[in-house]
Amino acid sequence: MLRSSFYHQIFFTNILRILDERGMTQDELAARSGISSAFISALTRGKANPSLGTMEAIAKALDTALPVLLESTDLDRESLDALAGGRAPRSLPPGFERVSAVLTSFQAYQVKSWDEANKRKIREIKEARRKKFLEY
């Protein structure tokens, strides 16, 4: 039995969420992606190990960027930590959080400007850490 990794679980959880949001079936995903229904079914149950090419085909069929399927998730921090077998990897400094949301165009505009400001802050934090590291 294949034990699903942290990223496999995020991947198949996101596939199931997007299928549900779009009212799309696993068979429709299989037809659009060119991947067998049996493999899609096994994947969404955590029983398959997709190649990068397979993940790209699924992302394209869902009209979704592959990084979104691998990184963004609706799972809470405790669930992510449990899936990771401890502490889930974090790509952001403390105090920052990545979220996925459905927004109006105006809301998206506001969030994009907040995103740009926060990315500048994160770059500053990383640069300060790098300088501190180089001082030692």
Side-chain angles (χ1 to χ4, degrees):
M1 179 175 158
L2 174 72
R3 185 178 182 283
S4 293
S5 76
F6 174 73
Y7 289 104
H8 281 102
Q9 295 219 11
I10 289 174
F11 185 68
F12 79 72
T13 300
N14 282 329
I15 290 170
L16 290 171
R17 177 184 51 79
I18 291 170
L19 289 175
D20 181 59
E21 287 174 357
R22 298 187 181 163
M24 193 172 161
T25 67
Q26 290 183 22
D27 288 334
E28 289 173 311
L29 175 59
R32 289 181 185 185
S33 65
I35 298 166
S36 75
S37 293
F39 189 84
I40 296 290
S41 176
L43 178 65
T44 58
R45 290 179 288 119
K47 308 271 186 206
N49 188 11
S51 67
L52 181 58
T54 297
M55 290 188 286
E56 288 174 327
I58 290 170
K60 184 176 180 182
L62 292 172
D63 194 28
T64 302
L66 180 55
V68 171
L69 293 177
L70 292 171
E71 185 173 36
S72 297
T73 183
D74 292 339
L75 298 173
D76 58 53
R77 180 55 53 199
E78 293 78 26
S79 298
L80 288 172
D81 287 343
L83 286 175
R87 185 174 160 94
R90 288 163 171 71
S91 61
L92 298 173
F96 290 87
E97 186 175 332
R98 186 171 278 114
V99 297
S100 174
V102 177
L103 307 169
T104 65
S105 295
F106 179 71
Q107 291 168 329
Y109 170 79
Q110 289 178 306
V111 169
K112 286 176 185 176
S113 36
W114 296 338
D115 182 52
E116 290 171 14
N118 285 332
K119 285 179 181 176
R120 281 192 299 275
K121 287 179 190 175
I122 290 169
R123 280 192 299 274
E124 291 169 5
I125 290 168
K126 287 181 179 180
E127 181 61 23
R129 285 182 183 164
R130 187 184 70 74
K131 285 181 181 177
K132 187 175 182 179
F133 177 76
L134 293 175
E135 289 174 359
Y136 292 107

